Amino acid sequence: MRVMLIEDDQTMLSLLGTLLEMEGYEVIKTNEFKGILDEVKNMQPDAVLMDVHLENINGLDVLADLRSEASLNSVKIIMTSGIDSSHKSIELGADDFLLKPYMPDELIDKLENLFASEGR
């Protein structure tokens, strides 16, 4: 399964990428947010893990844009933040939310649960 990481913290991007690759996921990393909607369309990930607070852009706005795009309806989206934005994230169409800091097992469990519900 392909997971796209949308994160402005280089250390977090690297750590998450390594963790997910060790768990057998194909990882697409990005910290370039201009044209992110087109990048998600082009890469067609199975899931997106995205920070709410990105440099110069609001992840919740990106979430709303992703959910308004019919071709991306099947993409699972998990939002993350150090501030509890779970209600707003779910309201805008996220499949789940992770409050930072979180343990690696929490992320893996959430991904596995999202895909288990589809029988993947």
Side-chain angles (χ1 to χ4, degrees), residues 3-87:
V3 178
M4 179 177 256
L5 303 175
I6 303 174
E7 170 68 60
D8 59 357
D9 181 324
Q10 276 301 127
T11 303
M12 190 70 151
L13 196 62
S14 179
L15 289 171
L16 288 170
T18 300
L19 166 70
L20 291 172
E21 286 168 354
M22 287 174 50
E23 291 293 327
Y25 291 93
E26 181 182 340
V27 178
I28 305 159
K29 298 182 226 177
T30 188
N31 62 354
E32 293 294 324
F33 312 118
K34 189 174 183 176
I36 193 68
L37 184 62
D38 288 333
E39 189 168 347
V40 175
K41 280 191 220 174
N42 291 338
M43 294 297 177
Q44 288 294 307
D46 298 298
V48 169
L49 180 67
M50 180 169 44
D51 194 358
V52 169
H53 303 285
L54 300 168
E55 185 177 310
N56 301 322
I57 193 166
N58 184 331
L60 294 173
D61 292 340
V62 176
L63 170 62
D65 289 345
L66 291 173
R67 284 303 182 221
S68 70
E69 192 63 43
S71 65
L72 299 174
N73 283 346
S74 66
V75 176
K76 302 295 184 187
I77 301 175
I78 300 174
M79 299 299 291
T80 67
S81 179
I83 299 168
D84 189 352
S85 306
S86 57
H87 180 73

